[in-house]
Amino acid sequence: EAGVAQSPRYKIIEKRQSVAFWCNPISGHATLYWYQQILGQGPKLLIQFQNNGVVDDSQLPKDRFSAERLKGVDSTLKIQPAKLEDSAVYLCASSLEFQGGHNEQFFGPGTRLTVL
Amino acid sequence: QKEVEQNSGPLSVPEGAIASLNCTYSDRGSQSFFWYRQYSGKSPELIMFIYSNGDKEDGRFTAQLNKASQYVSLLIRDSQPSDSATYLCACNRGSTLGRLYFGRGTQLTVWP
């Protein structure tokens, strides 16, 4: 079974530039998550989709970050404009549809973003 | 107060020893608890999950949950150098539709 795919793996941009990350979840996984992991910290949820609807974006800096999941499969996370503090690894994870109780999330390899 | 706190590392143990990793959480509504292993430069990998009070064993790994004390731990028996990684504790509050709250991780080094 193929895992969660992400691209690009690395990205270096100047501050105020724009950047986009792509994620393809595990086949059949209805729930998709984007996490931000700053060096030395645990992952922090940015946004959670269930199918193509947003169920939690409370931690997403909406003035500069946006995400979409058209057709309930692939997802794109965009930052525009980027700030120095956005330097982090952006992790995509997926799980089966959440139906209460618990769910196991599987992570992709991540995209390491450096903002200069 | 942070949602999930982990014992400060780094933790260093000799090969063959038991490594003990600890985690506390602040929300009594938390229902599910997860341990992820993260090698340097890699993404988190699920090791174990636990939902009920008590112990859960899987090979060399044992997760322990005490909801009254809001405490979760992971024991690694017969530690191997390949166990050297950062271990992330996470919890799911149930009411938040699957969202995981992660601790900042404990770095474990197993020396030969």
Side-chain angles (χ1 to χ4, degrees):
Chain A
E1 179 183 78
V4 177
Q6 289 188 248
S7 67
R9 294 295 309 279
Y10 305 91
K11 191 74 177 178
I12 300 174
I13 61 173
E14 304 260 335
K15 60 183 179 184
R16 291 187 289 273
Q17 286 187 322
S18 302
V19 65
F21 313 128
W22 173 83
C23 172
N24 183 249
I26 293 172
S27 177
H29 280 193
T31 310
L32 185 147
Y33 312 80
W34 283 103
Y35 288 89
Q36 179 193 58
Q37 187 175 23
I38 293 172
L39 187 65
Q41 298 182 21
K44 183 185 81 170
L45 182 73
L46 293 175
I47 189 167
Q48 175 184 344
F49 294 93
Q50 185 138 302
N51 298 306
N52 60 349
V54 176
V55 295
D56 187 346
D57 63 356
S58 57
Q59 299 291 300
L60 188 74
K62 298 180 185 63
D63 58 333
R64 298 184 299 107
F65 286 65
S66 64
E68 60 182 11
R69 191 184 184 197
L70 301 176
K71 301 181 181 178
V73 181
D74 293 8
S75 178
T76 302
L77 176 70
K78 296 180 181 178
I79 308 175
Q80 180 179 10
K83 293 185 175 181
L84 296 176
E85 59 261 37
D86 297 332
S87 294
V89 176
Y90 290 84
L91 295 163
C92 179
S94 71
S95 68
L96 294 170
E97 183 170 353
F98 185 75
Q99 296 178 339
H102 55 268
N103 66 317
E104 299 167 44
Q105 298 182 23
F106 299 89
F107 285 82
T111 297
R112 183 176 298 275
L113 173 67
T114 302
V115 182
L116 302 175
Chain B
Q1 184 183 15
K2 296 191 176 193
E3 292 278 349
V4 178
E5 303 222 34
Q6 296 187 238
N7 55 327
S8 58
L11 178 65
S12 181
V13 301
E15 185 174 357
I18 296 175
S20 177
L21 304 160
N22 304 315
C23 172
T24 58
Y25 59 95
S26 61
D27 189 336
R28 286 194 175 274
S30 299
Q31 297 182 350
S32 313
F33 305 87
F34 301 81
W35 283 100
Y36 283 84
R37 177 175 61 200
Q38 188 172 29
Y39 292 114
S40 181
K42 302 295 185 182
S43 60
E45 170 193 12
L46 182 65
I47 299 176
M48 288 192 70
F49 50 88
I50 186 167
Y51 315 122
S52 303
N53 274 327
D55 295 359
K56 179 181 179 183
E57 187 174 316
D58 184 0
R60 297 186 296 112
F61 298 94
T62 299
Q64 299 174 317
L65 173 60
N66 183 327
K67 289 188 176 181
S69 301
Q70 296 176 239
Y71 177 87
V72 191
S73 67
L74 179 70
L75 299 178
I76 306 175
R77 290 182 301 281
D78 188 23
S79 295
Q80 302 296 310
S82 58
D83 294 327
S84 298
T86 295
Y87 290 80
L88 297 163
C89 173
C91 69
N92 173 342
R93 289 165 58 181
S95 61
T96 51
L97 299 175
R99 173 180 178 176
L100 290 181
Y101 294 82
F102 282 86
R104 63 188 305 137
T106 299
Q107 185 177 346
L108 171 67
T109 300
V110 181
W111 45 276

